[in-house]
Amino acid sequence: MAGPEELLARMVAEVFNEPDAGRRAAAIDEVFAPDVVFVDAEHEVHGREELAATVTGLLAQGPGLVFTPVGSFRGVGDLGMRS
């Protein structure tokens, strides 16, 4: 079973940095529960389909955009983040 740090690494590499929608959807199905709630500074999305649509929209804003984690992993309760 993958730990939180590995799941966060997969989220960045296989979801937010994946340009192919089919591969991204497959990764979302593997990494996230069906009832995922994803929150950032501008969005709160519910479920895998909304997450996929949100990531697709983000990637469309900047072709070639790459998300790069900075800092070390931090877990607080059921939240995981890079500080």
Side-chain angles (χ1 to χ4, degrees):
M1 177 183 248
E5 190 164 4
E6 180 183 338
L7 291 173
L8 281 173
R10 288 189 67 197
M11 178 184 73
V12 172
E14 299 174 29
V15 176
F16 284 89
N17 285 339
E18 177 54 63
D20 181 89
R23 287 193 299 258
R24 186 168 53 248
I28 288 171
D29 286 348
E30 289 179 22
V31 174
F32 295 97
D35 60 348
V36 60
V37 176
F38 182 84
V39 180
D40 69 13
E42 298 178 12
H43 300 94
E44 180 175 315
V45 298
H46 299 262
R48 291 173 173 161
E49 288 182 16
E50 278 190 37
L51 177 59
T54 297
V55 174
T56 298
L58 286 171
L59 294 175
Q61 291 178 26
L65 175 69
V66 175
F67 290 88
T68 305
V70 295
S72 58
F73 167 79
R74 287 189 322 152
V76 178
D78 63 350
L79 300 175
M81 67 200 85
R82 295 267 183 193
S83 52

